[in-house]
Amino acid sequence: MKPDPSIDRLRARAFAVPTDRPEADGTFSWDSTTLVVVEAWAGNKKGLGYTYSSASIARLIEAELYPSIKGQDAMSPQSSWASMQRAVRNLGREGLAATAISAVDAALYDLKARLLDMPLVGVLGSYRLGVPIYGSGGFTSYSDDELQEQLGAWVAEQGCAYVKMKVGSQPKRDPERVRLAKQAIGERASLFVDANGAYTPKQALELANAFVQESVSWFEEPVSSDDLDGLQAVRARVPPGMDVAAGEYAYTADYVRRMLAAGAVDVQQADMTRCGGITGFLQIAALCDAFQVDLSAHCAPSLHLHAACAAPRLRHLEWFHDHVRIEHMLFEGAPVPKNGVIYPDLSQPGNGLAFKEPDAAPYAI
């Protein structure tokens, strides 16, 4: 019997990609996005994973994480995930360490699927063959015309049934911006808003009552996601038909368990580039199933696609402007929506992605 191949090489590199225009949300502004790409080798096959994080984690991955998994069975990514968790015990499992583990874990699952010559969704199993997306951007730094143009295009050109805009930078202007956004999409799609924790609970409730006049059906992080009492209080009092969502900053399943136990959200978010990769994302999916709360995948749509098909209560996946742009610039095989849904390419092994080295070279850090 042929032995299972072992992990024998790992490489991590960082790339800084400027945004196409200045961007801001309710609590932060930026002009570039850092992509950290991880490649893992075993048995003459290479797996590909990545995260959106700090360039500093490339060194962490090669110096701390790789020694903890070198020589391990490439067919058992969960075992490697557990080894990496132990390796960062004294560094802290959250924050940068969690994003580093996420990228390596994604690469190891891709490696396993390529060793088996199967699409990743075939290895994971699936509840669905395609994943609904919602267009996401609408940054607070955009002009009113830019806001309307972007949201309207997601509906008209990509068939999105939901679109999301940022709020919170100027609370007094938010009701008017929401009115303009709804004007751009009409009744063709549902409108979501995301405050990134910018409001107080009282502000959030006041604005929720204004937003519902424009049929806003999703209020994301109306207050800080660390304020579970405040989040639960807002959720209990928003108008009927408006879901409260949070969880994108979860680095561990423990964080999500506490959020679900607090009854803080109608929809739980999770981001596999932060929460421990595919292993962590599927742990969170199981928690959502146990609590009977829907899950929504946050950002990095090309990376989430296969795992999103394997999550039992998945509602949709965020089609985030920055990440969609980067993934189509730098990865062959990035999905293209069809009537607001993206589908895994079942003709390709692994996650179906290939890194465009020449295109990425100008952005290398």
Side-chain angles (χ1 to χ4, degrees):
M1 184 175 178
K2 186 177 180 181
D4 290 332
S6 59
I7 301 163
D8 57 25
R9 187 181 169 200
L10 198 72
R11 177 170 67 168
R13 293 175 290 165
F15 304 84
V17 183
T19 57
D20 54 358
R21 46 191 154 176
E23 295 176 355
D25 58 32
T27 54
F28 192 62
S29 61
W30 62 97
D31 58 13
S32 68
T33 300
T34 300
L35 170 76
V36 180
V37 175
V38 172
E39 295 157 303
W41 284 263
N44 297 318
K45 295 288 185 178
K46 179 176 71 173
L48 173 68
Y50 57 90
T51 185
Y52 295 98
S53 186
S54 164
S56 65
I57 69 166
R59 175 63 178 159
L60 173 65
I61 288 167
E62 294 187 345
E64 303 291 341
L65 299 185
Y66 177 49
S68 75
I69 63 172
K70 183 179 180 181
Q72 291 198 17
D73 182 2
M75 304 303 284
S76 302
Q78 298 97 326
S79 177
S80 292
W81 182 90
S83 294
M84 291 189 287
Q85 294 289 331
R86 290 191 293 271
V88 300
R89 187 197 69 178
N90 291 346
L91 302 177
R93 291 192 302 148
E94 301 189 353
L96 294 177
T99 64
I101 290 172
S102 298
V104 177
D105 183 81
L108 294 181
Y109 271 94
D110 184 49
L111 175 61
K112 176 179 179 177
R114 292 176 192 264
L115 286 165
L116 293 170
D117 196 27
M118 293 176 62
L120 180 54
V121 70
V123 174
L124 298 175
S126 62
Y127 288 90
R128 60 195 62 82
L129 297 178
V131 178
I133 59 170
Y134 67 88
S136 174
F139 302 108
T140 60
S141 51
Y142 282 4
S143 69
D144 292 345
D145 288 343
E146 289 173 321
L147 172 71
Q148 289 190 306
E149 179 185 4
Q150 186 183 65
L151 270 61
W154 281 321
V155 178
E157 298 172 13
Q158 300 188 341
C160 291
Y162 327 89
V163 296
K164 187 174 82 178
M165 61 182 288
K166 299 290 190 179
V167 294
S169 292
Q170 302 178 64
K172 291 182 179 179
R173 274 216 74 225
D174 284 338
E176 173 62 10
R177 292 181 64 250
V178 166
R179 185 189 68 80
L180 292 171
K182 185 61 179 176
Q183 184 182 79
I185 65 173
E187 300 305 317
R188 297 172 295 170
S190 295
L191 181 60
F192 297 174
V193 298
D194 181 2
N196 289 97
Y199 302 137
T200 66
K202 287 184 177 180
Q203 273 184 310
L205 288 171
E206 179 183 1
L207 287 164
N209 287 309
F211 296 157
V212 78
Q213 304 305 313
E214 302 299 335
S215 303
V216 169
S217 60
W218 165 288
F219 200 166
E220 184 175 330
E221 278 199 301
V223 300
S224 169
S225 56
D226 292 327
D227 180 9
L228 294 183
D229 290 339
L231 202 56
Q232 194 279 332
V234 172
R235 181 201 173 204
R237 293 170 177 82
V238 293
M242 182 180 289
D243 286 336
V244 169
E248 68 184 72
Y249 299 112
Y251 294 110
T252 67
D254 293 326
Y255 181 102
V256 171
R257 177 182 53 79
R258 290 191 291 271
M259 183 170 279
L260 290 169
V265 292
D266 296 294
V267 182
Q268 178 70 50
Q269 293 177 287
D271 185 334
M272 63 177 277
T273 73
R274 295 173 177 165
C275 71
I278 292 174
T279 299
F281 183 79
L282 294 181
Q283 289 173 353
I284 291 170
L287 281 170
C288 289
D289 198 30
F291 277 87
Q292 299 186 0
V293 172
D294 284 356
L295 173 64
S296 179
H298 176 264
C299 291
S302 298
L303 195 67
H304 273 99
L305 178 53
H306 291 252
C309 290
R313 294 184 66 98
L314 187 101
R315 183 179 291 193
H316 40 46
L317 168 57
E318 185 168 11
W319 192 248
F320 182 58
H321 171 68
D322 283 2
H323 296 178
V324 170
R325 176 172 168 265
I326 290 171
E327 288 166 1
H328 283 85
M329 286 170 58
L330 303 185
F331 294 95
E332 294 285 355
V336 176
K338 297 177 182 178
N339 298 318
V341 179
I342 56 175
Y343 300 88
D345 185 349
L346 301 181
S347 70
Q348 296 296 319
N351 57 29
L353 301 174
F355 192 50
K356 300 178 183 178
E357 296 281 352
D359 294 342
Y363 305 110
I365 298 175

